[in-house]
Amino acid sequence: MTISQARNIGLPLMNLVKMGGTPILQQLQLEEKLLRTTSDNWCIINDGTNDPTIVMGMSGRPAELLELEPVIQDQVPVIRRFSGGGTVIVDPGTIFVTFICNRDDIPGIQPYPRPIMKWSGELYKEVFSGIGDFHLRENDYVLGNHKFGGNAQSITKNRWVHHTSFLWNYDVRNMAYLKLPSRAPEYRSARNHVDFVCRMKDHMSRSTFIEKTVEATRNYFMVRPLQLETIDTSKTLFTPSTRLLSKEELSSALQSQTKKFCLERVQ
C-alpha cells in the first residue's frame, strides 16, 4: 500500500471532473444541477472559458454593477448565476475551481459562509505554499495586497457549493465593463480594477496550479476522476436558475438608469 492510498482510507469520495474551455453558462448550470439533484461530492475544474462573459451573483443589479452602454454595444454576454457573491468578467485566462460537498463530509465545517471560506483558505494555502504571500483576506484570495481569486457560495440544507474564479491572466480592456462596486472589501481602498488585481501567471503555471489543487483536495477526500461525458443527469428533471440575461433586460436597465440620472439632475 502506498502512502497516498493509506492517506485516503476512511475519507469520503469526491468525483473530479476536469474540463477545458467549457462555456461558463454550461458549467454553472451543471454545478447547480449536481448540487440539487445528486448526493455526491464533486470537484469541477474548468481551465478557461470560451468568450469574455460577465457573471453576476443572484441578486446583482446590472445598472449598479456594469457599464451598460459598452456592454450592450459590444454584445458582452451577462449571466446571473445561482450563487451569491460579486460580479466578475471571465475569459480564456480564467481558471474555475468548484467544490460541491455534503455538509457532513468535512468534519467540523458548519454550512455557513465563513467556516467554508476558512476551510477553502486552508486548502489553497497548501496549493500556494512557498509562492508569494498568499492568504485569505475577507472573502478573497490574495497575493500580498492584490486579489487573484473571487469566491461565491450557495448553501442548501445538507449541501453547499464553493466556487472560485482564478485570474491566471486577464485582458485589461475587459475590466472597463465593470463599475467600481459600492460595497467593496476595506483592503481594496477604492483602487480601480487593474490596481486591485494581479495575475497568477506571474507566480505559477496553469498545469501546476491544477495539479496542486487536486493534490490538496486529496487531504480531505478520496478523489475519483470522471469524464464529463459519463455524468448522466438527463433523467432528472431540473430547471436551472442560472441564466443569460437578454438584450432587452439590459436595455431596460440602461433606460431606467438614464431616466433616474435625468430626474436627479432636474432636482
Side-chain angles (χ1 to χ4, degrees):
M1 179 183 294
T2 67
I3 295 177
S4 178
Q5 289 172 328
R7 183 178 64 182
N8 283 333
I9 292 178
L11 293 179
L13 179 66
M14 172 166 281
N15 297 317
L16 169 67
V17 180
K18 291 183 182 180
M19 307 183 293
T22 298
I24 186 61
L25 178 61
Q26 178 183 338
Q27 177 193 330
L28 288 166
Q29 290 181 341
L30 173 65
E31 291 174 9
E32 187 177 1
K33 190 168 190 177
L34 293 175
L35 169 69
R36 303 190 189 283
T37 68
T38 75
S39 57
D40 296 330
N41 299 305
W42 300 87
C43 175
I44 298 173
I45 300 177
N46 186 15
D47 189 3
T49 189
N50 50 356
D51 298 311
T53 304
I54 294 169
V55 184
M56 302 190 309
M58 60 182 177
S59 59
R61 297 181 179 180
E64 296 176 1
L65 300 169
L66 309 180
E67 298 291 352
L68 284 169
E69 285 193 41
V71 167
I72 294 170
Q73 179 178 336
D74 297 343
Q75 299 182 24
V76 182
V78 179
I79 292 170
R80 179 175 280 123
R81 64 176 180 264
F82 69 99
S83 59
T87 301
V88 294
I89 183 163
V90 300
D91 58 25
T94 311
I95 303 175
F96 307 91
V97 181
T98 297
F99 292 100
I100 304 173
C101 299
N102 293 315
R103 61 173 292 171
D104 296 329
D105 282 345
I106 306 179
I109 304 300
Q110 294 298 312
Y112 299 104
R114 287 194 176 185
I116 295 171
M117 281 298 311
K118 183 178 179 181
W119 170 80
S120 72
E122 291 298 316
L123 185 147
Y124 286 113
K125 185 184 294 184
E126 180 174 338
V127 174
F128 291 96
S129 177
I131 301 173
D133 180 22
F134 168 82
H135 52 284
L136 172 65
R137 189 157 189 177
E138 299 185 44
N139 293 319
D140 301 332
Y141 301 138
V142 301
L143 288 169
N145 200 35
H146 294 86
K147 175 180 177 177
F148 69 96
N151 301 286
Q153 298 171 346
S154 179
I155 301 172
T156 66
K157 180 180 179 180
N158 295 312
R159 288 163 65 72
W160 50 261
V161 165
H162 175 80
H163 46 197
T164 307
S165 57
F166 289 96
L167 291 176
W168 189 81
N169 195 11
Y170 64 87
D171 188 332
V172 173
R173 294 171 298 179
N174 290 338
M175 295 297 177
Y177 294 119
L178 306 180
K179 288 184 176 180
L180 192 67
S182 57
R183 295 178 59 187
E186 288 187 17
Y187 80 95
R188 180 165 186 159
S189 302
R191 287 177 288 171
N192 63 36
H193 295 294
V194 176
D195 293 333
F196 179 51
V197 300
C198 65
R199 294 175 168 91
M200 279 176 56
K201 74 171 189 174
D202 296 330
H203 303 272
M204 182 184 293
S205 71
R206 300 176 83 127
S207 59
T208 298
F209 168 71
I210 291 172
E211 290 169 5
K212 294 189 73 171
T213 297
V214 173
E215 186 59 26
T217 303
R218 295 185 193 278
N219 291 327
Y220 304 91
F221 296 92
M222 182 171 65
V223 175
R224 178 178 66 180
L226 290 179
Q227 296 297 316
L228 177 62
E229 297 76 19
T230 65
I231 304 174
D232 183 13
T233 59
S234 59
K235 297 178 182 179
T236 305
L237 294 176
F238 178 75
T239 302
S241 61
T242 300
R243 66 182 184 88
L244 190 68
L245 297 187
S246 67
K247 181 179 179 180
E248 290 72 22
E249 287 177 290
L250 297 176
S251 297
S252 176
L254 177 59
Q255 291 172 4
S256 297
Q257 180 186 47
T258 303
K259 183 177 180 181
K260 180 180 178 182
F261 176 74
C262 293
L263 288 173
E264 289 174 348
R265 292 197 64 179
V266 170
Q267 294 173 354

